[in-house]
């Protein structure tokens, strides 16, 4: 089971990453949804382990490390 704190973080991150967009020069903005698939892959992997430290490592490796420029910008902006 995912600890409530991590579950809340995952939910908020999913919502915010779904709203991220990446400007592409003079073209209209393009909505990138790759982070959503990465999020659910990480969430499924996290549910399969009980160790909270391993859950954090999985979230980092499967979601944050594979993030799109939009997710990276959101993380940088939020500090």
């Amino acid at each position: 089971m995912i600890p409530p704190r991590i579950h809340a973080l995952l939910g908020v991150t999913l919502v915010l990453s779904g709203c991220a967009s990446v400007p592409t020069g003079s073209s209209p903005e393009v909505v990138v949804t790759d982070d959503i698939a990465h999020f659910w892959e990480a969430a499924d992997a996290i549910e399969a382990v009980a160790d909270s430290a391993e859950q954090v490592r999985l979230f980092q490796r499967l979601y944050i490390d594979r993030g799109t420029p939009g997710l990276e910008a959101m993380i940088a902006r939020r500090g």
Side-chain angles (χ1 to χ4, degrees):
M1 182 168 148
I2 299 174
R5 193 173 59 183
I6 291 177
H7 192 264
L9 173 64
L10 293 174
V12 168
T13 304
L14 173 64
V15 169
L16 294 175
S17 68
C19 298
S21 63
V22 180
T24 56
S26 61
S27 302
E29 290 188 8
V30 176
V31 176
V32 179
T33 61
D34 296 345
D35 294 318
I36 296 170
H38 296 162
F39 170 84
W40 286 113
E41 182 181 346
D44 290 342
I46 287 169
E47 285 189 17
V49 297
D51 178 35
S52 61
E54 180 61 16
Q55 289 175 334
V56 171
R57 284 190 289 273
L58 285 167
F59 186 74
Q60 179 70 43
R61 182 171 54 86
L62 296 174
Y63 182 63
I64 303 294
D65 292 348
R66 296 166 60 191
T68 63
L71 179 63
E72 292 171 3
M74 182 189 72
I75 291 169
R77 176 119 169 105
R78 300 199 67 157

